[in-house]
Amino acid sequence: MKTLLCTVLALFAFAMNSVLCRLALGKATIDAASFSTLRLFSGAVMLLLILLASKRARASTPGMKWIPPVLLFLYAVAFAFAYMGLTAGTGALILFGAVQATMIISALCAGERPSALEWAGLLVALGGLVYLVLPGLTSPSVPRSLLMMVAGISWGFYSILGRGSVNPLAETARNFVGALPLAVAVSILLASQIHLSREGVLLAIASGAVTSGLGYVVWYAALKGLTATRAATVQLAVPVLAAVGGVVLLSESLNARLLLAGIMILGGIGLALAGRARAVQMLAEETTR
């Protein structure tokens, strides 16, 4: 139940993060480098404040690891710069395709063998995702597409490493702090392109403090109860939730294609999770015999 609750909250946070990023970057209210820096900075501040208020978090102080902060930096910066030259549909397809490929290939390399029902659910969900974004596809810019692939691969590996987190809050805070200097360096290198507005700054802060910082803490907690395949599959719900957020908050149109794609994606996720639950039950029954 805890894993389910954390997963649902994390997916909603990620979806809202996409909406906030689309609002800021789509309207050109802020440049990509500044958005990434403010996002990581506000996320770090929020997480450190929560960390200081948590006696349990202070009691566990694992040492800084350099790989997760670098992956977080690569995801945040590559995502922002990629969306400067990609449509929303193209970017979502490349990003989530890269995430799924990364996590599933890693799971297979680690010896995890999804059941036939899980594979079927994953294929149905992926088909729904393609159906959702395909009508908006255009010929993408190769450099921007590569950047979005970097973002997806980075997020995939970041999620995989997060599954072994002992203290999600403390480790996520350290990751944000560790990624911040790298983002600042990018902003300094691109100082001539800085463009700030009140709306853009507020959206970047909200994205970092709420939907990124807090969202990642909840996602880390959820990952403890998810296999790599399940973690890859449930993230396919994010584009649907983001599309719904666009309808509610951005006055985007709701059509039959969105509804059908949502049914395919969420239905595929349910099928995959049912397959995993069945496999676990069968394994438990064999063990008790």
Side-chain angles (χ1 to χ4, degrees):
M1 195 65 187
K2 178 182 178 182
T3 297
L4 175 62
L5 178 60
C6 289
T7 300
V8 171
L9 290 175
L11 294 180
F12 272 106
F14 295 159
M16 283 305 301
N17 195 41
S18 296
V19 173
L20 293 176
C21 289
R22 197 178 306 174
L23 271 172
L25 299 176
K27 294 182 179 180
T29 59
I30 189 172
D31 64 284
S34 296
F35 182 91
S36 300
T37 300
L38 286 172
R39 180 183 177 188
L40 290 171
F41 173 76
S42 57
V45 171
M46 172 65 76
L47 291 168
L48 288 174
L49 288 175
I50 297 174
L51 185 64
L52 290 174
S54 172
K55 295 181 180 180
R56 182 178 179 182
R58 287 201 302 269
S60 178
T61 55
M64 170 67 78
K65 300 176 182 179
W66 65 270
I67 295 180
V70 170
L71 290 173
L72 180 60
F73 158 76
L74 289 175
Y75 158 73
V77 174
F79 176 84
F81 277 93
Y83 260 127
M84 299 296 290
L86 292 176
T87 64
T90 304
L93 180 58
I94 296 173
L95 176 69
F96 284 92
V99 171
Q100 309 319 312
T102 300
M103 298 189 74
I104 291 174
I105 290 174
S106 296
L108 293 175
C109 291
E112 185 177 313
R113 293 294 179 264
S115 67
L117 200 57
E118 284 183 284
W119 278 118
L122 182 59
L123 290 176
V124 171
L126 282 172
L129 177 60
V130 172
Y131 179 71
L132 174 64
V133 302
L134 191 59
L137 288 177
T138 59
S139 298
S141 162
V142 173
R144 302 294 182 182
S145 298
L146 291 175
L147 280 173
M148 190 59 83
M149 288 182 65
V150 169
I153 292 170
S154 299
W155 175 248
F157 279 118
Y158 184 82
S159 296
I160 291 170
L161 293 177
R163 291 178 61 207
S165 175
V166 176
N167 189 331
L169 177 59
E171 293 182 30
T172 304
R174 285 164 174 76
N175 292 340
F176 267 75
V177 172
L180 184 57
L182 298 174
V184 171
V186 173
S187 292
I188 293 174
L189 289 174
L190 301 178
S192 61
Q193 301 180 20
I194 290 179
H195 168 67
L196 301 173
S197 70
R198 181 180 179 182
E199 180 182 0
V201 170
L202 291 177
L203 288 171
I205 292 174
S207 174
V210 182
T211 59
S212 291
L214 296 180
Y216 292 178
V217 170
V218 178
W219 179 238
Y220 256 149
L223 286 172
K224 289 184 177 182
L226 296 174
T227 65
T229 303
R230 292 176 90 182
T233 304
V234 296
Q235 288 185 84
L236 293 174
V238 175
V240 178
L241 296 174
V244 173
V247 171
V248 176
L249 301 176
L250 305 177
S251 300
E252 297 177 352
S253 60
L254 178 64
N255 52 47
R257 184 177 298 274
L258 176 60
L259 292 175
L260 180 57
I263 292 172
M264 290 177 66
I265 293 173
L266 296 177
I269 292 172
L271 190 63
L273 296 181
R276 170 56 62 176
R278 180 181 178 184
V280 171
Q281 182 179 2
M282 292 177 62
L283 180 60
E285 291 176 354
E286 291 179 1
T287 303
T288 55
R289 289 176 184 174

